[in-house]
Amino acid sequence: MRVLELTIQELLKIPLLHQTKVISGAQGLDRVVKTIDIIEEPYEIAGDKQGVLILVTAYALRDRPALLLTMIQQLHQSGAAGLVIKSVQVLDHISAEAKELSDQYGLPLIELPEDISYSDITHAVIEQALHRQEVLLQRSDESYRTLTTMVLENIGIQAVSDHVAGLLKAPVAVINHSEELIVSSPIGWDFHHAQYPVRRNINVDQRSVAYLLVDKEHLDAMEEVGIEQARLVLALELMRNKIIEDTENRLRGNFIDELMTPPAPPRHEVEDRGQQLGMNPSHLWEVAVIEGRVAPDEEWLTRLLYQEAAKYNIRPHIEFRSNRAILFLPTPQVNADYAGDQRQQTIPWADIVLSWLNDKEGKLAGYRSGIGRPKALWDIHEGFSEARNALTISRRLSGETALTAYKDIEVYHLLRGTMDEKGFGILFDRKLGKLKQYDEEHTTDLLRTLFFYLESRSSLIDTAHLLSIHRNSVKYRLERIRDITGFDLNDPHEQLVYQMCLIYYYLLEHPE
């Protein structure tokens, strides 16, 4: 017979069992009874007795008093709930050793009067179990209706979390699989400090999206039912939030498409729609483009971006297109009256993105990025254009640098649009034609070495870093350059002329 979460203490409160007596092992009265088993011969005890309440007649023990000690030992080892002995009076006494062993194990030893039959006990327990199950179903139905009403009335996930915490009488938290808190009750509770964490997955579309954490050592049947209901309702709340978030992202994406396709909508329209879509028009916006051979990991990069944004209490946006991620990065404008306020400082987005690209344990190894200058929301198409230009020029002129800011290469972009190809071509051939020919014939890289040497203000260490070679190799290459071109590396005028020729070569004549 299966019994639903009835403790020995609850069983003894049944009117039929009021005359029973707990002989020893009273500290184990909270043990849960799953089954009642009647044993005619005590030596038959064997196997797993987890949650079993054993009933035995004293007549079976009358001539074998030492057997009771063996039974207590075996029942403890097998996980039994307790031992009920009928007609104890036929025994001369229950030995002190048996009582001590029962107390030691917390295994209740209970005396059952002679006039109570086993069938009476069975019927009473079934009746109590059914009543208990009916009460549980009623409470479960009430709780489920309350939770469902909360969802239908869109009270919010915090209210649902608070109700669950009240139902379970324990702190609870909903946490995503990146170990980030979604909601907690009480608000601000640090789930990392839970003493008895119980975790249950929350699934949406047959996929685990988060988990419910409850800090409670023991959960009864009603609490287990409550947790299952909470998982369902929280899944509905998370699904609703996901739909809202996806809709907002789609609307923001459409809005950004309009902003990046000149002419942009009127400023007042951009301000109104930006405010509605969570893209604060009072902020300055930088656009960063991250590009690789394949598309970046969307979920990972989005999570990384929003983790960083949370530090500044701002809301960025990210789009994924082909093998690119386009990041729209807001920074609150500095108020002149509060320039000394730490909260008003510019967010170093270029440094943040560069740290992601250089993180060997991250997922952006081998990717490059370009980032534009801060722009007003209605001018972000300019920031996007700058980011793309920075990315294009970085592939040609930035060596191993993972991120290129437009403000650092702006002059190259301007030169690319104004250079007289024929005139610069003639000048390049006269100044560096022999060096180019030498590179082609000997498969060397002297042109790039000279370019990065001039770019780094004649620093051997920086040139070596940009080319990923040893600085002694740089010194050797510079000597070869002197021999081939006769170029005086210390002449500022010559440096400028050669640098302009190299910029022409890499940007126009030799784009890759």
Side-chain angles (χ1 to χ4, degrees), residues 334-346:
V334 176
N335 188 324
D337 296 332
Y338 300 95
D341 190 335
Q342 292 297 316
R343 292 170 297 177
Q344 293 284 331
Q345 291 184 353
T346 301

Side-chain angles (χ1 to χ4, degrees), residues 8 16 30 33 48 55 73 87 142 172 176 214 246 257 265 301 309-310 324 368 387 408 411 458 505:
I8 295 177
L16 179 67
D30 61 347
V33 176
D48 182 13
L55 276 62
Q73 180 74 34
S87 306
E142 291 172 3
V172 302
N176 65 24
V214 179
D246 289 346
D257 283 342
L301 186 54
R324 286 178 170 179
R368 283 182 177 271
D408 295 331
V411 66
S458 305
Y505 175 71

Side-chain angles (χ1 to χ4, degrees), residues 69 75 106 126 185 233 259 421 429:
L69 293 174
L75 292 174
I126 290 176
S185 297
V233 173
L259 294 178
E421 294 190 35
D429 287 339

